[in-house]
């Protein structure tokens, strides 16, 4: 029965096909489904895959790069014969690279190679190669004649399009493909290099050494102290082999520091072999981005009616997949059976495909759509593929989804889960750490996975069991604690008041629960409880100290609910302690004249005396009197305190209460030793706390803040929620001492900003595991020192002291390390890594040998630390602080070792045997080996002393480092990142380790290696509890116990993030083989279709490499069988740092209507990666962001290629870059006069830091955090000088250029060099007789889609025909089509105007718009202060669909009364539209308060005033607040400035400057200076129809623009239609004039 039914059904289908074929064959041919294909290529020429493979391996390990080179040279270089295609070559490269990697890393290496992620690194090397060649012009000048050594065509193209593309491939000089740069010369032949190597006296000229970088490949046998020799060349060439062999041997002999920079110069492709050149000859297409084809809202018809251009179509060779199911039919099987009906069957298939599109469903069909989607996914054989097919083709599958019968258990589980997570929310975690789904892209994800697999590989090599490795990788480091509290409790704190005991607070209530009661913002809680302890640490002789006292007194007198106190110190006394290395020698201080005359110490003594005799209030009054007398007698409020101020204040304070005269008491106190000692003890306590370096600071319950009043209020606000939380949970009650509780829980005994990393100082970590696994490592040779009686304990914390034994600082550090151990620590050990300068004498070498012997043989002895301390003390005083003659010093040192060893109960026998045998040469070799290790593996330069704590590198600055700082380091690191690792390691069941090896040292080493490696992970510290969600019915679960990667995700499959995640998860599943638990979380109740687009995420595959020849095609997005009758708009979803633009697109990508494609089956679009965006945040030390600070960026040879200013919003800035080495500087003028960059800890050498080097060597961009400091003497000067102030002193300004004019001076020199700035050579050819003169008028506009570009050309013509001065147009290039960008240079030449294409990447922190139209609106208003060059003073925005009838010079010169913006108010004389004037009612009426609501089609921006008043920052703040509400900013570009006009004032332009039919009556049309084609919400008339009807000159302008465009692009034009339109326009014109007269 079933077979009979099936047969009948097939007959029916075939009958339908034949009938359909007969009836609609012709129609179906015209409506065959169409495809869309999109590619993104880079601007630079292709890079060889072989060289990219080397770069990828070097990311894994620096040594792998060299192993790969040697392996390729040995086995592969001459065996190209067995590789007949690009795919064969790639497989060969992958095979040899994978051989060097562990099994889990090999698939990722293969995928990264196909992703081309290492290409930017090679582009960077090209830049350096070009700089190398340009430094030494060849004798025949063959390199320099051809600019930058490029092929002529390539040079022209690059120069024309992008001066920022610095990594252009250099042309091979004189046919040479390799050269060696030694700084003083270039060698193109091995023979010349050998001659140079044989002349050692010429090798060491340090002044000529070429610069090396962190990313350089330095040969592992190189000596970093030897002369640098950099080889530029490509693996596979004969010259590379010759140079490499020679330099490798020279490096082994210690002659050179050998560096390779892989470059394949242009013209050398034939020299490198077939496989070596794969990728170099082809344009490089990228993957890792998304493409969207959105169904467009066509409420207002905005499509160009011009004929589709005829041109060369780029058909895609791929064939359609007939095995794919279409509405239940698999057509490949039907065709097999009935091949004679092929045309009819295919026509029927095409019909089904073209009728599957649904962008509307009934409400009841939408209800369970999310649950039905989840069911379809979880029941599929490949759930991830199913999710991708559904959400990336949603309009085509939605109908079938909505008809699916729903399983209640799936629905119930989803609803149950949504009680714990919001419906539609998406989350993803990799090994427990949350990933930001908004920012994730393929490159970042691959890097994160690679990071985890590398760690797993390292841990496995440490013989840690796999189950423990998984547990370690799933551990999320807790977020950094910024709540370290300085435990200041001591007798040296002098409190002014006590809220719990003082009479003045008795009327306050003492119920602690009142702190939970809400109060008005800014109002404190008045509770009789010491909740806030504001203790100021200050020097009472400084201005900031005395100002703080006045502030405290003022708050106290106003009964502010806070306990105030001070800790007083003398900065002079602390300076003396620091000079003595942190050791207080009382005998030296007693007779010190500076200490005797120290004003600070005297004030402290008098303060203590008054407090003891007359109470704290009187003592604080004394300090206030000192400040009052200082201010009264000084010319400036910044004058220092004098001795007579102190004496006078004491007399005033004490006169009425003293039994003897104040003068007598004063003389007595100056000689009194008790108070002097108390003063010194107070200063010493501040020194030990570590807060003396901050000058004046506030300790709010131990938290460190600035001393200002604002900081005090902020500190109280920060502390309030913490106290409220503790009270709420009952941890604080009325009997709790809040200060004791907080300091006991989080208190630290010493404050060191370098250790506590307050957010401004970035902590640096290195992996010690990778260095020890790399082979012979100095870490294997270290013997550790321990606190007494703890030698056999496991130590969680390891301090490695990098000590330069020849420096005073180094020996100080060494002694502090010994004192730290003597003081006692249960959980830490200390190892010493000695290095020395080349001139180190024998005692220095013997000291290192003595330490080695002692740590190896006597570390368990009780007095070993005393012995080492005494030896270091002797060495320091005898050899560091004063020089001794060599002969006597050597023997004296050895004798001292024997003597001290015996004195400390150590057997001197070992020393007597080993020290005389110590070889000077071997010791130096060992010290050199340590120096190499410190520099290469840990990044510590020679001569720098540092501490490495479980991988955290802390270099020592100018400040004193105490043994207490080592305790602080131990405490902070153990709590934050080591403790949880120790807990896991302690539970390990060691199976593959010899029991005899399982010593405390072995376990301590494992903890050190693991914790250091895990600290290098660049990932989030946030996690989520995915396990609480049910995953039985509505989740995709993939178990893989052998994998080191685990993915947890919550995904809404019908969301934009779900579209991207489905592709990313499939990539992970294929190449990383993770275990996965993906919980589906669709919206449970839908009111509209959740997705109205098609989406493709472009991922590379091995199919991108040809299997027939040596070409590389690269990945592309392919949309098969797209709807014909729907209008689509294309958007790209690219990684955050990418700026892309279309470069090949015949059709309108904004309005894709595939039915118009004719015979073409595939619409092609090619985009180009125009630039990467370098972004950053800039802060000023102890202040907010330096708004208006100017930054410039360039190369070493061209310092100024691009510029920008710093926003007030988060101190944000951005610039366009390409891969290369860049230098960021403060711009000449006001910025560099006031500021310098601050690097890390302030150590007094910061004035020299005027630039920062930035390497861009990947596709992920870079985020740079800058901190600037004002120069000495400039602290009170303002960066921005108001133009109003400038105008008040015009005469003065003529003599001395103002800052604003300086900006224009330096910026205007650059304005012509920006992106696509063009000046016409043949000015005003034929169209502007007599030429244009006067100040240039700048006009700014934006357009997207062919129709609006057509309008834009008409607007340009209308401006030029009515304006007599020079005009420069500024266009936002993001959305301009390739044809427009082709035409505009010709148009500029023909009509005599300048133009510039500008762009700005949407900042990540600013709320994003998703709809293209709203993004375009946002670009009109949000970035006006930063998108234009700083030299531009004023610009007029004119809508693309506007026609100008007046001279724009009149508007440009109009006085807008000092306002930053000028708009035209909406006119109100068209009464028909009253119902649509929303600003006259409700919210807008109340908000505007009588101010007009303006139209945004035309406005003037005074950019000088705009930047001065931070108008851009204010507008972005308003936008950020309002845009998150979907009901706000309906007309974003218009609503935002109107809403903000109370803060960003608007000048209202005269009404005639903008007329539009929708809002203005015909009575005023004749006076209109511009006419805008605004949409009419009543009639919804199409734009083109309205344009022809409303503006009589529009048709002629349109005809002129279209004719010119057709001539340039070589297109045909339908002239008769245009002429007819032109005639019609004359009639329209006359009728319009009649209408106008009648109205009047």
């Amino acid at each position: 029965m079933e077979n009979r039914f099936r047969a009948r059904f097939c007959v029916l289908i075939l009958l339908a096909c034949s009938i359909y074929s007969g009836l609609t064959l012709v129609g179906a041919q015209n409506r065959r489904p169409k495809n869309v294909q999109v590619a993104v290529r880079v601007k630079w020429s292709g890079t060889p895959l072989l060289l990219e493979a080397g770069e990828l391996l070097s990311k894994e390990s620096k040594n792998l790069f060299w192993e790969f080179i040697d392996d390729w040279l040995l086995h592969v270089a001459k065996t190209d014969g067995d590789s007949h295609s690009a795919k064969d070559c790639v497989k060969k490269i992958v095979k040899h690279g994978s051989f060097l990697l562990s099994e889990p890393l090999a698939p990722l290496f293969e995928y990264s190679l196909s992703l081309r992620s290492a290409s930017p690194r090679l582009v960077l090397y090209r830049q350096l190669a070009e700089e190398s060649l340009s430094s030494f012009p060849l004798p025949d000048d063959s390199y320099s004649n051809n600019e930058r050594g490029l092929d002529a065509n390539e040079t022209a193209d690059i120069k024309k399009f992008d001066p920022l593309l610095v990594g252009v491939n250099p042309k091979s000089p004189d046919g040479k493909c390799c050269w060696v740069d030694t700084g003083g010369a270039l060698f193109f032949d091995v023979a010349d290099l050998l001659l140079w190597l044989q002349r050692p006296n010429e090798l060491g000229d340090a002044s000529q050494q070429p610069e090396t970088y962190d990313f350089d490949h330095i040969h592992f046998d190189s000596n970093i102290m030897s002369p640098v020799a950099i080889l530029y060349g490509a693996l596979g060439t004969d010259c590379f082999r010759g140079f490499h062999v020679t330099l490798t041997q020279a490096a082994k002999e210690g002659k050179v520091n050998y560096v390779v920079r892989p470059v394949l110069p242009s013209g050398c492709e034939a020299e490198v072999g077939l496989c070596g050149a794969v990728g170099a000859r082809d344009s490089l297409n990228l993957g890792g981005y998304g493409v969207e084809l959105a169904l467009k809202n066509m409420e207002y018809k905005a499509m160009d009616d011009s004929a589709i251009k005829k041109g060369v179509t780029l058909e895609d060779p791929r064939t359609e997949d007939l095995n794919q199911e279409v509405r239940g039919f698999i057509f490949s099987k039907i065709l097999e059976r009935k091949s004679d009906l092929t045309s009819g069957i295919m026509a029927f298939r095409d019909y089904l495909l073209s009728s599957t599109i649904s962008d509307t469903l009934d409400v009841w069909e939408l209800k369970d759509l999310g649950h039905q989607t989840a069911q379809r996914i979880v029941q599929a054989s490949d759930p991830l593929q199913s999710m991708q097919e559904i959400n990336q083709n949603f309009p085509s599958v939605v109908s079938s989804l909505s008809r699916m019968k729903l399983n209640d258990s799936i629905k119930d589980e989803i609803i149950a889960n949504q009680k714990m997570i919001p419906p539609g929310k998406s989350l993803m975690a990799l090994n427990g750490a949350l990933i930001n789904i908004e920012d994730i892209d393929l490159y970042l994800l691959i890097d994160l996975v690679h990071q985890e697999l590398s760690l797993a590989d390292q841990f496995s090599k440490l013989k840690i069991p796999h189950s423990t490795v998984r547990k370690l990788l799933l551990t999320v480091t807790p977020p950094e604690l910024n709540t370290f509290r300085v435990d200041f409790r001591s007798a040296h704190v002098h409190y002014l008041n006590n809220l719990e005991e003082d009479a003045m607070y008795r009327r306050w209530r003492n119920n602690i629960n009142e702190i939970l009661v809400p109060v008005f913002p800014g109002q404190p809680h008045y509770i009789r409880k010491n909740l806030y302890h504001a203790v100021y640490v200050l020097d009472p002789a400084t201005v900031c100290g005395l100002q703080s006292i006045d502030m405290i007194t003022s708050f106290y007198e106003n009964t502010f609910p806070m306990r105030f106190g001070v800790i007083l110190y003398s900065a002079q006394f602390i300076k003396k302690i620091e000079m003595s290395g942190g050791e207080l020698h009382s005998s030296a201080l007693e007779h010190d004249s500076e200490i005797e005359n120290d004003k600070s110490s005297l004030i402290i003594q008098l303060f203590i005396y008054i407090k003891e005799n007359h109470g704290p209030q009187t003592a604080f009054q004394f300090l206030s009197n000192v400040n009052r007398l200082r201010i009264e007698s000084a010319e400036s409020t910044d004058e220092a305190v004098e001795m007579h101020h102190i004496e006078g204040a004491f007399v005033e304070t004490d006169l009425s209460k003293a039994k003897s005269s104040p003068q007598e008491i004063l003389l007595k106190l100056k000689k009194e030793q008790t108070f002097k000692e108390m003063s010194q003890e107070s200063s010493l306590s501040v020194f030990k706390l570590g807060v003396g370096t901050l000058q004046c600071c506030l300790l709010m319950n131990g938290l460190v803040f600035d001393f200002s009043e604002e900081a005090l209020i902020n500190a109280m606000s920060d502390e309030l929620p913490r106290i409220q939380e503790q009270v709420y949970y009952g941890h604080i009650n009325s009997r709790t001492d809040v200060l004791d509780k907080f300091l006991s829980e989080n208190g630290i005994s010493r404050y060191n900003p370098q250790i506590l990393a307050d957010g401004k100082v970035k902590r640096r970590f290195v992996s010690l595991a990778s260095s020890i696994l790399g082979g012979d490592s100095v870490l294997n040779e270290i013997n550790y020192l321990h606190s007494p009686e703890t030698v056999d304990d496991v130590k969680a914390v390891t301090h490695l002291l990098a000590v330069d034994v020849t420096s005073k600082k180094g020996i100080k550090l060494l002694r502090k390390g010994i004192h730290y151990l003597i003081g006692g620590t249960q959980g830490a050990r200390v190892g010493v890594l000695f290095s020395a300068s080349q001139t180190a004498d024998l005692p220095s070498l013997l000291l290192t040998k003595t330490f080695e012997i002692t740590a190896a043989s006597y570390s368990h002895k009780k007095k070993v630390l005393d012995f080492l301390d005494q030896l270091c003390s002797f060495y320091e005083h005898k050899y560091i602080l004063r020089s001794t003659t060599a002969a006597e010093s050597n023997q004296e040192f050895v004798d001292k070792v024997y003597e001290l060893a015996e004195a400390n109960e150590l057997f001197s026998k070992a020393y007597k045997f080993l020290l005389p045998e110590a070889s000077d040469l071997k010791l130096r070799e060992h010290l050199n080996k340590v120096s190499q290790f410190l520099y290469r593996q840990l990044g510590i330069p020679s001569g720098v002393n540092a501490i490495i704590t479980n991988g955290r590198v802390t270099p020592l600055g100018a400040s004193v480092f105490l043994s207490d700082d080592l305790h602080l380091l131990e405490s902070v690191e153990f709590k934050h990142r080591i403790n949880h690792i120790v807990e896991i390691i302690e539970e390990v069941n060691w199976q593959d380790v010899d029991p005899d090896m399982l010593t405390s040292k072995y376990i301590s080493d494992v903890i050190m290696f693991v914790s250091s490696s895990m600290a290098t992970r660049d990932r989030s510290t946030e996690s989520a509890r995915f396990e609480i969600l049910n995953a039985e019915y509505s989740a995709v679960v993939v178990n893989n116990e052998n994998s080191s990667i685990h993915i947890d995700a919550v995904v809404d499959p019908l969301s934009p993030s779900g579209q991207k995640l489905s592709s990313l998860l499939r990539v992970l599943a294929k190449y990383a083989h993770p275990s996965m638990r993906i919980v589906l979380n669709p919206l449970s109740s839908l009111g509209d279709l959740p997705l109205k687009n098609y989406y493709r995420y472009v991922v590379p595959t091995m199919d991108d490499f040809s299997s027939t020849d040596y070409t590389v095609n690269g990945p592309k997005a392919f949309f098969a069988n797209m709807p014909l009758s729907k209008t689509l708009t294309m958007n790209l979803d690219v990684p955050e740092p990418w700026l892309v633009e279309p470069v090949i697109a015949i059709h309108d990508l904004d309005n894709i209507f595939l039915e118009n494609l004719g015979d073409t089956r595939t619409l092609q679009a090619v985009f180009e990666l125009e630039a990467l965006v370098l972004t950053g945040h800039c802060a000023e030390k102890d202040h907010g962001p330096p708004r208006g600070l100017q930054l410039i960026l360039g190369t070493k040879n061209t310092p100024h290629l691009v510029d920008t200013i710093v926003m007030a919003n988060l101190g944000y800035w951005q610039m366009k870059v390409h891969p290369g080495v860049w230098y960021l500087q403060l711009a000449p003028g006001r910025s560099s006069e006031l500021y310098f960059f601050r690097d890390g800890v302030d150590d007094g050498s910061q004035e020299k830091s005027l630039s920062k080097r930035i390497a861009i060597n990947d596709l992920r961009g870079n985020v740079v955090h800058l901190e600037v400091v004002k120069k000495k003497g400039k602290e009170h000067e303002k960066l921005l000088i108001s133009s109003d102030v400038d105008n008040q002193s015009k005469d003065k300004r003529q003599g001395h250029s103002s800052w604003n004019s300086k900006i224009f001076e330096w910026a205007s020199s650059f304005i012509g060099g920006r992106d696509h700035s063009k000046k016409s050579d043949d000015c005003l050819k034929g169209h502007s007789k007599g030429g244009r003169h006067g100040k240039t008028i700048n006009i700014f506009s934006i357009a997207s889609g062919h129709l609006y570009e057509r309008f834009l050309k008409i607007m340009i013509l209308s401006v030029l025909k009515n304006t007599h001065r020079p005009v420069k147009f500024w266009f936002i290039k993001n959305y301009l089509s390739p044809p427009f960008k082709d035409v505009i240079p010709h148009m500029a030449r023909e009509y005599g105007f300048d133009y510039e294409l500008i762009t700005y990447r949407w900042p990540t922190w600013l709320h994003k718009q998703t709809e293209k139209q709203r993004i375009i609106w946002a670009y009109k208003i949000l970035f006006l202060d930063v998108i234009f060059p700083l030299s531009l003073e004023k610009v007029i925005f004119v809508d693309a669909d506007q026609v100008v009838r007046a001279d724009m010079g009149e508007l440009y010169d109009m006085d807008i009364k000092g306002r930053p913006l000028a708009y035209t108010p909406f006119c109100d004389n068209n009464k028909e539209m009253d119902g649509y004037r929303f600003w006259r009612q409700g919210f807008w009426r109340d908000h505007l308060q009588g101010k007009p609501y303006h139209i945004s089609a035309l406005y003037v921006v005074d950019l000088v005033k705009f930047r001065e008043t931070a108008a851009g920052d204010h507008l972005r703040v308003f936008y950020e607040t309002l845009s998150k509400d979907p009901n706000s900013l309906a007309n974003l570009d218009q609503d935002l400035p109107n809403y903000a006009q109370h803060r960003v004032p608007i000048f209202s332009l005269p009404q005639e400057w903008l007329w539009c039919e929708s809002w203005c009556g015909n009575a005023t049309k004749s006076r209109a200076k511009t006419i805008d084609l605004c949409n009419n919400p009543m009639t919804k008339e199409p734009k083109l129809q309205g344009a022809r009807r409303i503006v009589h000159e529009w048709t002629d302008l349109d005809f002129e623009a279209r004719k010119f465009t057709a001539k340039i692009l070589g297109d045909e034009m339908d002239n008769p239609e245009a002429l007819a339109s032109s005639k019609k326009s004359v009639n329209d014109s006359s009728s319009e004039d009649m209408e106008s007269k009648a109205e009047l």
Side-chain angles (χ1 to χ4, degrees), residues 785 846-861 863-869 871 891 893-918:
L785 298 170
L846 290 173
L847 178 66
T848 66
K849 185 65 179 176
T850 305
F851 253 85
E852 181 189 321
I853 297 165
T854 307
S857 306
Y858 301 119
S859 62
H860 58 286
K861 293 286 186 180
K863 291 190 173 182
V864 65
L865 296 174
D866 295 328
F867 162 71
L868 291 174
D869 185 38
L871 182 63
Q891 189 56 47
F893 180 81
V894 173
D895 292 341
K896 191 68 177 180
V897 171
Y898 302 155
E899 176 193 327
L900 291 174
E902 293 293 344
N904 288 285
E905 301 173 15
L906 306 181
F907 300 112
S908 60
K909 189 175 180 182
Y911 299 110
K912 287 178 179 176
F913 176 72
L914 293 170
L915 282 180
E917 297 294 319

Side-chain angles (χ1 to χ4, degrees), residues 1575-1607:
N1575 291 324
N1576 190 318
M1578 185 185 293
T1579 64
K1580 295 184 169 53
E1581 182 182 23
K1583 284 272 184 183
L1584 285 172
Q1585 184 180 319
R1588 294 183 178 115
R1589 182 180 58 78
I1590 296 167
V1591 187
H1592 71 84
E1593 67 267 36
W1594 189 91
T1595 317
D1596 292 333
L1597 292 170
D1598 179 44
F1599 177 71
E1600 184 177 345
R1602 287 173 63 192
K1603 184 179 177 183
F1604 182 81
T1605 301
K1607 182 179 79 173

Side-chain angles (χ1 to χ4, degrees), residues 295-594:
L295 300 172
K296 190 169 185 181
N297 179 359
M298 297 301 290
E299 181 182 7
Y300 295 92
K301 189 174 180 234
M303 286 187 66
D304 192 1
D305 61 0
S306 304
I308 299 295
K309 299 177 183 66
K310 298 176 180 62
V312 180
T313 57
L314 308 168
E315 280 297 332
D316 189 74
R318 75 178 79 189
T319 56
E320 295 183 62
D321 183 8
L322 298 177
N323 290 313
Q324 192 177 13
E325 181 186 306
V326 180
R327 300 286 283 272
F329 301 116
I330 298 177
F331 280 88
S332 59
K333 294 188 177 178
I334 298 174
L335 287 169
E336 282 174 19
R337 294 171 187 170
K338 293 292 177 181
S339 57
D340 55 320
L341 293 174
T342 298
S343 60
I345 292 169
M346 290 302 291
F348 180 58
R349 178 178 181 272
D350 291 345
Y351 169 76
L352 291 178
L353 283 167
S354 64
S355 62
T356 56
I357 310 309
S358 238
D359 55 358
T360 57
L361 282 180
D362 292 319
V363 176
W364 55 85
E365 293 178 292
L366 284 169
K367 185 180 169 215
D368 290 321
L369 195 56
H371 300 144
Q372 290 164 320
T373 302
Q375 180 173 317
R376 172 78 65 88
I377 292 167
V378 296
Q379 291 178 352
S381 57
D382 185 343
L384 292 179
Q385 182 179 352
S386 175
M387 178 166 28
Q388 180 178 303
E389 286 175 354
I390 289 169
N391 60 26
Q392 297 192 358
N393 300 288
F394 187 69
S396 296
V397 299
V398 62
S399 294
S400 64
L401 278 173
S402 65
R403 294 191 294 270
M404 188 179 194
K405 187 177 179 182
L406 183 61
N407 184 334
D408 287 339
S409 57
I410 290 179
K411 181 176 180 179
D412 293 343
E413 185 172 273
I414 290 171
I415 292 170
N417 282 337
Q418 289 176 346
K419 292 175 181 174
M420 293 172 278
I421 188 166
K425 175 81 173 174
S426 291
L427 291 173
M428 180 175 166
L430 174 64
N431 279 351
L434 283 177
I435 293 172
N436 186 339
I437 288 178
E438 296 298 319
D439 296 338
I440 192 67
D441 59 68
L442 189 54
Y443 297 91
L444 176 58
L445 187 62
I446 293 296
D447 282 353
L448 289 172
V449 171
H450 174 262
Q451 178 179 263
E452 300 298 299
L453 290 175
S454 293
L455 284 178
D457 186 43
Q458 289 177 23
F459 296 164
S460 297
K461 288 174 181 174
L462 291 170
K463 300 184 178 178
I464 298 173
H466 180 70
S467 59
T468 305
V469 170
R470 283 196 66 158
K471 200 180 289 185
L472 284 167
L473 293 177
L474 285 167
T475 304
V476 178
T477 305
E480 285 191 29
L481 289 172
N482 291 322
T483 54
F484 289 108
R485 298 176 186 269
V486 179
D487 191 348
F488 60 84
R489 292 173 293 180
S490 72
H492 303 292
V493 183
H494 306 286
Y495 285 109
L496 173 61
N497 60 337
N498 187 329
L499 276 68
E500 296 174 11
E501 297 176 3
D502 292 356
M504 63 188 293
Y505 308 109
R506 275 184 191 160
R507 292 189 178 184
W508 294 4
R509 299 173 67 172
N510 62 359
N511 183 358
I512 190 71
N513 290 316
E514 289 206 5
I515 201 164
L516 302 175
V517 176
V519 293
F520 288 109
Q523 180 183 335
H525 294 83
Y526 290 89
I527 302 170
R528 186 152 46 91
K529 181 84 179 151
N530 292 324
L531 299 175
Y532 307 101
H533 296 73
V535 174
Y536 285 81
V537 184
L538 52 90
D539 181 336
T542 60
V543 173
C544 73
L546 292 172
Q547 286 175 344
S548 300
I549 292 294
D550 279 358
M551 183 178 65
I552 291 170
T553 308
S554 173
F555 274 110
Y556 168 72
E557 289 170 353
N558 286 286
T559 61
F560 196 69
M562 187 175 287
R563 191 178 193 196
F564 292 101
V566 293
I567 305 176
L568 305 176
Y569 72 92
S570 162
Q572 200 170 334
F573 185 82
I574 286 181
K575 189 176 179 183
K576 287 287 178 187
I577 301 174
E578 288 177 345
M579 288 174 66
S580 67
E583 295 168 9
L584 181 63
H585 304 289
S586 55
S587 58
L589 293 170
E590 277 179 16
H591 306 292
D592 193 313
S593 60
E594 287 186 30

Side-chain angles (χ1 to χ4, degrees), residues 20-32 347 350 1124 1155:
Y20 188 79
S21 173
L23 294 175
T24 61
L25 184 60
V26 176
Q29 289 291 339
N30 292 332
R31 288 185 57 81
R32 288 186 66 193
D350 291 345
L1124 301 179
E1155 205 164 37

Side-chain angles (χ1 to χ4, degrees), residues 595 640 787 810 857 1013 1065 1105 1109 1343 1348 1389 1402 1482 1616 1624:
I595 296 295
S787 282
S857 306
S1013 294
L1065 289 169
F1105 304 101
D1109 57 24
Y1348 276 86
R1389 272 196 297 275
W1402 194 283
K1624 182 177 182 296

